[in-house]
Amino acid sequence: MTPLSVSPRWLHDHLNDDHLVVVDATNHLPVPTDGPYVPESGAQTYRAEHIPGALFADLLGDFADPAAAEPWTAPDHERFAAAAGALGIGDGATVVVYDQHDGFWATRFWWHLRYEGFDQVTVLDGGLPAWKAAGFEVTDVVPEPTPRTFTGTRRPGLIRSTDEVAANLDDEGTVLVNVLDEATYRGEVDTYARRGHIPGSINLPVFTLRDPATGALRPVEELRAEFENAGLLDTDKRVVTYCGGGIAATGVAHALALAGRDDVAIYDGSMTAWAGNPELPLVTGESPR
């Protein structure tokens, strides 16, 4: 069974395994001084330096729906399978995914592979910063992938649309989790053109799950206790996470999987889609829990 997270030392020791496919899934999200954010591909910084043998997954391009209004929207299964297979992700492969930042681009690709039915995927804890801090080399040599056939079957339970979230706002069997910072959740920051959060959702900021000094996840037992306190390990309830654009939400889903809850769904459009529709409700203030 593939672990959900591996250390830089583990990856270094297994880097030359024939079945291993290492993937850099970085995007960049510069914070604008005014106007909406404009996401950028991480391809250029990947080419400048990456873990030896790592390939680049373009979450804004090959692995996104080109017709969608929001960036990073999950494409149809055929598009995803073709892009994954071209990178060498498929039957017989084990994938280690990382990014150059806080790990949430990596967990997005981890979630997306699982959504498409591929389980042999793990996340490099701490990403490229942790790899470099451990003293391991980086390179600018871009390798050629060895294509494989991707044969996964989608798991519809791991994703939610705007319509599905809106239709279930009063569902007591669902816990909707906003993973943004508290100020944004409470509506004190005008981040997505409208202030506040989706009615009924609780707040669990994703950045609190990591050690700020190392970028690595806090001990799983600590996280499990926090999730238990929030009611997120109650298997009688469905858990749906959301954020700004469906990226950071996967960080909480990954941490919950480490704590034993691997059925968490992602609201793919998140606040970009929700706040973009003035007919959908938003509330401000404290978390209901």
Side-chain angles (χ1 to χ4, degrees):
M1 181 176 178
T2 302
L4 297 174
S5 180
V6 295
S7 68
R9 167 55 65 185
W10 184 97
L11 179 57
H12 182 268
D13 291 346
H14 292 267
L15 202 55
N16 294 318
D17 290 1
D18 290 340
H19 65 282
L20 198 69
V21 179
V22 182
V23 175
D24 183 321
T26 302
N27 277 195
H28 304 295
L29 199 60
V31 179
T33 55
D34 53 31
Y37 62 78
V38 180
E40 299 175 356
S41 168
Q44 183 174 348
T45 47
Y46 158 78
R47 287 191 292 268
E49 65 169 16
H50 51 266
I51 293 173
L55 299 158
F56 181 71
D58 187 358
L59 302 190
L60 274 172
D62 295 337
F63 292 98
D65 181 351
E70 292 86 29
W72 311 297
T73 300
D76 60 48
H77 178 74
E78 291 71 24
R79 179 182 176 90
F80 186 94
L87 278 183
I89 300 172
D91 299 347
T94 296
V95 177
V96 177
V97 59
Y98 74 92
D99 65 47
Q100 302 161 23
H101 297 304
D102 47 28
F104 305 134
W105 305 108
T107 57
R108 169 69 184 194
F109 198 56
W110 166 86
W111 165 81
H112 207 157
L113 283 166
R114 292 192 64 252
Y115 168 53
E116 302 294 349
F118 185 87
D119 289 328
Q120 297 300 108
V121 55
T122 186
V123 174
L124 176 63
D125 196 19
L128 188 64
W131 175 269
K132 293 167 68 174
F136 300 136
E137 68 175 322
V138 294
T139 182
D140 61 0
V141 176
V142 176
E144 286 292 327
T146 301
R148 284 184 169 89
T149 300
F150 186 93
T151 58
T153 300
R154 270 196 165 175
R155 296 181 171 109
L158 295 184
I159 195 169
R160 293 292 187 276
S161 67
T162 298
D163 288 345
E164 289 170 328
V165 172
N168 289 282
L169 289 182
D170 297 324
D171 179 15
E172 295 183 356
T174 298
V175 182
L176 191 58
V177 184
N178 179 308
V179 312
L180 299 171
D181 64 278
E182 184 178 359
T184 301
Y185 169 84
R186 288 169 55 86
E188 297 167 1
V189 178
D190 190 6
T191 306
Y192 299 97
R194 297 167 65 209
R195 296 173 182 262
H197 55 268
I198 298 172
S201 57
I202 66 171
N203 185 217
L204 183 67
V206 68
F207 293 101
T208 66
L209 305 183
R210 294 182 177 273
D211 182 336
T214 66
L217 281 166
R218 290 162 43 204
V220 173
E221 288 307 316
E222 288 184 12
L223 298 179
R224 186 176 290 113
E226 191 165 334
F227 295 148
E228 183 74 42
N229 183 57
L232 301 182
L233 299 184
D234 180 355
T235 55
D236 290 334
K237 294 182 180 294
R238 293 173 293 277
V239 176
V240 179
T241 62
Y242 74 97
C243 54
I247 305 300
T250 65
V252 170
H254 179 253
L256 277 163
L258 284 166
R261 186 78 196 256
D262 65 356
D263 60 345
V264 175
I266 304 300
Y267 171 23
D268 203 28
S270 283
M271 283 294 289
T272 300
W274 189 272
N277 185 342
E279 296 183 1
L280 293 174
L282 285 169
V283 297
T284 58
E286 297 284 352
S287 171
R289 71 177 172 90

